[in-house]
Amino acid sequence: MRIRFDDQVAIVTGSGGGLGKSYALELARRGARVVVNDLGGAPDGAGRSTRFADQTVKEISDSGGQAVASYDTVATLEGGEAIVKAALDSFGRVDIVINNAGILRDKTFPKLQAEELDAVLDVHLKGAFHVSQPAYRAMKEQGYGRFLFTASAAGLFGNFGQTNYGAAKMGLVGLSNVLAIEGSKHGIASNVIAPIANTRLTETILGGMAARLAPGFVTPLALYLVSRESTVTREIYSAGGGRYARVFIGLTKGWQSPEVPPIEEIAKNIDAIRHEDGYVVPESAVDELKQLGRTL
Ligand code: NAI
């Protein structure tokens, strides 16, 4: 095993089952000391239990690895702080944060209640913020860190009945992009993974493909992205069933008007505006602005 995590400390939220558990087990197998965080509730976030996190910790310990359990919710500021404190108190540092905890409260848009929006934003988007901010401070001190945020095709590409979830997941892309830019001068990288895997969150929707979509297929790319060997940052990847691919946000060549055009000119040029030939992938907002400056 050439890529190892000896002397590194990893926090994996939601690692009592599914994808997070697979990440935690492999990190520990490759030498990391792991904070196994899981609230242990139902797929919709109701309830809590120590059973999930304890099981992952037991499996790591049984195979000679080092891990501690954390049962805090990521959904509060205090929870996030407690999770990072568990890493610092138990192992003295934090090198890796995989923001993976997640719940679902699917509803079509007109039926979505404010509470279902809040619950999903709190766990996915604010949850990642709550854990990442105290971890970032520690990483900045030590001049090294790796973040991985968990998005979803539901946000990147859209999915029926998941406005709350899609919004939260795309919010994470923005969070990661900015963190990557801010962190670059401190040795901190940040990326996003959009997994496709057979877990309790997806067991009713994957149909016949489920058997081919074991969570373990996602783990190698996730762990590469949080390893020292990876210098990749500010990127988004899709992984599932053995297919590993990059997702990116591109800007079409577009159409340039010398003056403020009437709406009719937009209508006339909409195909040119939309056309994908010659697109670019800006490296930052400033990069996009520079490119516009050159066109002007
Ligand atoms: P899962 O339900 O097995 O794992 C999620 C874990 O997060 C659970 O163990 C749960 O107890 C924990 N959790 C929930 N709320 C928490 C909280 N407030 N604090 C701490 N832990 C909490 O499901 P899965 O599929 O492994 O999900 C992992 C991540 O991957 C989620 O963010 C999910 O949205 C995302 N995802 C999964 C896809 C898939 O195909 N399985 C597709 C796209 C995204």
Side-chain angles (χ1 to χ4, degrees):
M1 290 190 291
R2 192 177 60 81
I3 296 188
R4 293 196 53 92
F5 300 91
D6 301 303
D7 305 322
Q8 294 191 42
V9 176
I11 293 171
V12 186
T13 69
S15 52
L19 288 155
K21 181 174 182 180
S22 176
Y23 303 155
L25 293 178
E26 187 63 14
L27 279 164
R29 207 169 73 86
R30 287 174 181 263
R33 286 164 291 165
V34 185
V35 175
V36 174
N37 163 257
D38 206 292
L39 181 66
D44 69 356
R48 59 192 308 158
S49 146
T50 54
R51 197 165 44 90
F52 288 41
D54 285 347
Q55 178 61 29
T56 303
V57 169
K58 182 177 184 306
E59 288 179 38
I60 290 173
S61 309
D62 286 352
S63 43
Q66 285 188 68
V68 290
S70 142
Y71 317 112
D72 296 289
T73 178
V74 299
T76 64
L77 210 54
E78 304 76 57
E81 271 162 14
I83 294 164
V84 175
K85 191 168 180 299
L88 298 175
D89 288 354
S90 308
F91 303 129
R93 56 186 290 128
V94 54
D95 302 278
I96 295 166
V97 172
I98 303 185
N99 287 292
N100 164 83
I103 61 166
L104 288 176
R105 297 274 177 100
D106 294 358
K107 280 277 169 67
T108 54
F109 192 52
K111 292 189 187 140
L112 187 72
Q113 302 290 315
E115 195 272 324
E116 290 153 345
L117 174 65
D118 289 343
V120 166
L121 290 178
D122 283 353
V123 174
H124 292 274
L125 181 56
K126 295 174 82 177
F129 179 88
H130 295 145
V131 179
S132 300
Q133 195 185 40
Y136 183 94
R137 291 182 182 133
M139 290 173 180
K140 193 175 155 201
E141 286 278 301
Q142 72 202 18
Y144 178 82
R146 295 283 181 267
F147 285 99
L148 188 64
F149 293 86
T150 310
S152 164
L156 293 166
F157 309 124
N159 200 29
F160 190 91
Q162 294 193 307
T163 46
N164 53 354
Y165 182 74
K169 289 308 201 184
M170 274 314 263
L172 291 168
V173 173
L175 174 47
S176 175
N177 283 346
V178 176
L179 205 54
I181 289 169
E182 288 192 18
S184 62
K185 58 176 183 290
H186 306 294
I188 297 172
S190 181
N191 292 285
V192 174
I193 195 154
I196 305 169
N198 179 24
T199 68
R200 65 179 195 160
L201 288 189
T202 52
E203 60 193 358
T204 56
I205 59 168
L206 295 174
M209 286 170 70
R212 306 274 307 275
L213 294 170
F217 275 120
V218 178
T219 301
L221 178 58
L223 265 51
Y224 171 72
L225 291 171
V226 298
S227 70
R228 274 191 189 281
E229 280 72 8
S230 166
T231 52
V232 164
T233 193
R234 210 194 53 86
E235 293 193 345
I236 310 165
Y237 291 85
S238 165
R243 196 274 320 267
Y244 304 96
R246 183 177 158 216
V247 178
F248 52 83
I249 297 177
L251 188 69
T252 65
K253 224 169 139 201
W255 167 76
Q256 178 80 42
S257 172
E259 70 244 322
V260 178
I263 305 174
E264 290 74 15
E265 277 296 297
I266 300 292
K268 207 167 95 189
N269 288 287
I270 193 67
D271 287 344
I273 293 169
R274 296 184 62 239
H275 209 280
E276 290 171 18
D277 279 0
Y279 71 82
V280 291
V281 182
E283 284 173 16
S284 64
V286 174
D287 189 28
E288 190 205 0
L289 208 55
K290 280 189 192 152
Q291 292 184 30
L292 179 61
R294 281 196 290 275
T295 316
L296 295 177

